[in-house]
Amino acid sequence: IIDQAPPVVLALATFKSVLDTMKVIANYDRFSNLAGFRERSKTSLGRYLTEADIARRRPIVTTDLFRNFPGLFLDAPRGTEQFLEMRGAFTERCVPSVYLNGAVMSNLSATDIDAFVSPPDIIGIEVYSQTQAPAQFQLGLSGCGSIVIWTR
């Protein structure tokens, strides 16, 4: 049956490109909220560390930045974990909410902070007491402040 079939001729047409090459140029400011960091640092409602401040302190681990920081305490280790604490609204000391690039990170110990964030990667830190924290950096009824860390 195949020998008796008529030949089939196929031809593929080529299409000329209808769009010119496009070049995209973008100014990338990691997490556009960094502009918010710059604006908030002018309000003086919290305490702020810029990239230059961090470089001057030459920390080995991230929590070194919080040593001698007014209102923050690195408590004695509980087992293998050490916790960052601050003055609380309802208690003498409490564990603050920690935000990394604007996202809340629940139940982080000081050891966790050091593991997640390396000092050379940090471009800004905001520290707020419970009454000073902007709404986006408050956990409802926590009674404690917030630490916001911005990275590259």
Side-chain angles (χ1 to χ4, degrees):
I1 296 179
I2 295 177
D3 291 333
Q4 298 170 352
V8 176
V9 178
L10 294 174
L12 297 175
T14 60
F15 291 100
K16 189 172 185 176
S17 175
V18 294
L19 292 177
D20 288 336
T21 302
M22 218 181 340
K23 185 175 181 180
V24 177
I25 299 173
N27 242 348
Y28 183 65
D29 190 3
R30 177 140 180 141
F31 303 102
S32 61
N33 288 330
L34 195 55
F37 166 79
R38 292 183 188 111
E39 285 299 313
R40 287 186 298 276
S41 68
K42 296 175 186 172
T43 66
S44 72
L45 286 177
R47 295 188 181 268
Y48 303 87
L49 290 177
T50 64
E51 194 170 10
D53 298 328
I54 294 164
R56 273 193 299 278
R57 292 182 182 211
R58 292 188 245 180
I60 295 172
V61 293
T62 299
T63 52
D64 286 346
L65 294 167
F66 303 117
R67 296 183 194 284
N68 303 319
F69 205 98
L72 288 179
F73 311 94
L74 278 168
D75 75 342
R78 299 179 205 159
T80 59
E81 299 288 333
Q82 186 175 34
F83 285 84
L84 192 58
E85 295 180 333
M86 66 179 7
R87 292 186 194 104
F90 307 117
T91 60
E92 185 177 331
R93 289 188 183 180
C94 59
V95 177
S97 301
V98 177
Y99 292 79
L100 182 58
N101 296 322
V104 67
M105 306 296 286
S106 299
N107 304 316
L108 290 184
S109 68
T111 309
D112 294 333
I113 294 169
D114 289 337
F116 281 131
V117 185
S118 177
D121 295 333
I122 300 172
I123 53 179
I125 294 178
E126 305 174 55
V127 177
Y128 298 103
S129 71
Q130 194 267 336
T131 57
Q132 296 173 324
Q136 69 267 34
F137 302 127
Q138 285 184 5
L139 285 181
L141 303 173
S142 72
C144 202
S146 303
I147 297 173
V148 185
I149 302 171
W150 300 98
T151 63
R152 301 184 196 289

